[in-house]
Amino acid sequence: GAADPEAQVPAALKPWIPWVFEGQDQRACPLPAGGGERLCGWPGRLDLDLDAAGGLFAQHWHVDAETWVPLPGGPGAWPQDVRVGSVAAPVVEHEGVPALRLEPGEHALTGRFDWSAHPQTLPVPSATAMVALRLDGETVALPRRDADGRLWLGGGSAGGAAAERDTLALEVYRRVDDDIPLRVVTRLDLDVAGRARE
């Protein structure tokens, strides 16, 4: 295995290590597959209960090192009364989205939205993969998000009449090369539309 980098620091500089890493020590954070920036915050499911007057949100976060955590919402739908556990937390704009800074550990976030009529879409951070949505008292089975991560609220349900119908078309082509050895090349053409599926 690789040697501990701190072991290679001269003794005279070791007392400075905590000062150098102050507020930006990400050594406990895992690296994503393929490289890139370390991932220090891991979001759980985002629970939203929204109606024409606003609504509530709740989300659990696991944090490995002090980091900024993005929240749902944005201009015109700014998260209000945000709490970490039972403690009020200041929300600021960070990299263009509402966010707060969390220490390492497990955190339960809650907050609310206030509006006079719910917007067509609600910005949801791309890091949040799972969303449970109740809209005007009804559970939306398959919440719909666009390519920018915005959650669709207009029309109420992702399964409504305006939703695209699920379709699947499959065409199979085979080519046989009469050679030694015999070779069969298969080509599959898939045409899939509708809700997101694997």
Side-chain angles (χ1 to χ4, degrees), residues 31-168:
L31 281 167
E37 292 186 18
R38 291 182 180 270
L39 302 174
C40 295
W42 300 87
R45 185 183 67 195
L46 174 62
D47 293 309
L48 293 164
D49 190 352
L50 308 175
D51 58 29
L56 304 173
F57 72 87
Q59 187 172 31
H60 178 270
W61 277 82
H62 170 83
V63 176
D64 290 316
E66 186 178 356
T67 191
W68 285 101
V69 168
L71 300 176
W78 197 261
Q80 306 290 321
D81 192 26
V82 175
R83 296 184 174 273
V84 179
S86 60
V87 179
V91 176
V92 298
E93 184 175 330
H94 178 72
E95 297 181 352
V97 299
L100 53 88
R101 196 147 176 94
L102 292 180
E103 298 289 332
E106 304 293 326
H107 303 281
L109 308 184
T110 58
R112 64 180 171 80
F113 297 105
D114 292 322
W115 48 57
S116 55
H118 67 64
Q120 291 290 320
T121 61
L122 179 70
V124 172
S126 59
T128 298
M130 297 181 293
V131 176
L133 175 63
R134 278 181 57 82
L135 190 58
D136 298 322
E138 293 187 18
T139 299
V140 178
L142 298 168
R144 207 169 39 176
R145 291 168 75 177
D146 64 18
D148 296 324
R150 292 180 301 234
L151 182 67
W152 175 256
L153 303 179
S157 172
E164 191 174 359
R165 190 168 52 92
D166 288 347
T167 61
L168 171 63

